[in-house]
Amino acid sequence: MNKIPLNIEDTSVEIFARIVKSEANKYGCAVEVDFSDENRDFFFKNDDECNTHIMEDVRDIFV
């Protein structure tokens, strides 16, 4: 029997990214997530004032 190679990745970061994007959408802001080369970088495409509100909302979801 031939073995099938599996690429198992933790999806919790992708779920978190979707939550952040959803919260950013509430404020009319955009978030880009870089998943290339196993990076998990978030880039806010808006002013800094909006970023604070987004991250507070996301934090409140998990607290």
Side-chain angles (χ1 to χ4, degrees):
M1 180 179 352
N2 293 333
K3 292 184 180 181
I4 300 173
L6 296 177
N7 183 10
I8 299 173
E9 184 175 327
D10 183 10
T11 58
S12 60
V13 175
E14 184 173 346
I15 293 169
F16 180 74
R18 290 178 186 269
I19 292 170
V20 171
K21 283 184 171 190
S22 175
E23 289 297 320
N25 191 36
K26 287 182 183 179
Y27 292 98
C29 302
V31 175
E32 181 181 328
V33 184
D34 179 12
F35 285 103
S36 64
D37 298 326
E38 297 182 17
N39 291 328
R40 302 298 185 261
D41 297 323
F42 290 80
F43 301 99
F44 290 96
K45 296 182 171 184
N46 54 301
D47 59 355
D48 291 335
E49 182 179 324
C50 195
N51 299 349
T52 303
H53 295 297
I54 294 166
M55 295 314 295
E56 286 175 354
D57 289 351
V58 172
R59 182 197 64 212
D60 291 344
I61 291 171
F62 295 102
V63 176

